[in-house]
Amino acid sequence: MEDLLTLAAARGLPVVWRDLGGRNGEYRSSGLIVLDPRRPAQTQRVTLAHELGHAHYGHRWSDDPRVRERQEAAADRYAANLLITPAAYAAAERLTGCHAGALARELAVTARLVEMWREQRPAQRRAA
């Protein structure tokens, strides 16, 4: 988490913690990233990486669900690349096999991020 907070600070993106109800986090057009402190540390870490993706791409709120879907996928791909290295993935796969959920537990990310990471690396695709 510290490395992500350092990255956010280096990019001039303040990070604060506030109760967000049912949401894990949000990126505001002002550059502010908000995380919910009630979420587990792993969720906060994955959420921060995801919100850094929104900031990286300069995403703005849209009422269009197709735009939001594209933005969410882009932010997830960014988070996957930020949190999963090829070496860590290979080590996790040696320990757990190729199941996305098992890999996610080992890598301390979500199964969706494992899948997004693999989609970008055809050599890493395996039959679950």
Side-chain angles (χ1 to χ4, degrees), residues 77-90:
R77 280 190 298 276
Y78 184 89
N81 288 316
L82 200 55
L83 298 175
I84 303 170
T85 66
Y89 180 91

Side-chain angles (χ1 to χ4, degrees), residues 40-103:
Q42 179 178 322
T43 300
Q44 290 183 44
R45 179 176 164 267
V46 168
T47 301
L48 178 53
H50 174 91
E51 301 306 338
L52 286 167
H54 284 305
H56 175 78
Y57 294 115
H59 290 160
R60 300 286 182 246
W61 171 254
S62 173
D63 289 331
D64 185 336
R66 293 168 297 180
V67 170
R68 284 197 315 268
E69 184 177 323
R70 281 193 305 273
Q71 289 179 344
E72 292 303 312
D76 278 344
R77 280 190 298 276
Y78 184 89
N81 288 316
L82 200 55
L83 298 175
I84 303 170
T85 66
Y89 180 91
E93 192 175 58
R94 281 192 300 277
L95 286 172
T96 68
C98 60
H99 185 272
L103 287 163

Side-chain angles (χ1 to χ4, degrees), residues 4 13 18 28-29 33 35 43 46 55 68 75-76 81 87 89 94 114 123 128:
L4 296 178
L13 301 167
R18 297 202 176 103
R28 297 183 182 166
S29 59
I33 295 174
L35 301 175
T43 300
V46 168
R68 284 197 315 268
D76 278 344
N81 288 316
Y89 180 91
R94 281 192 300 277
V114 169

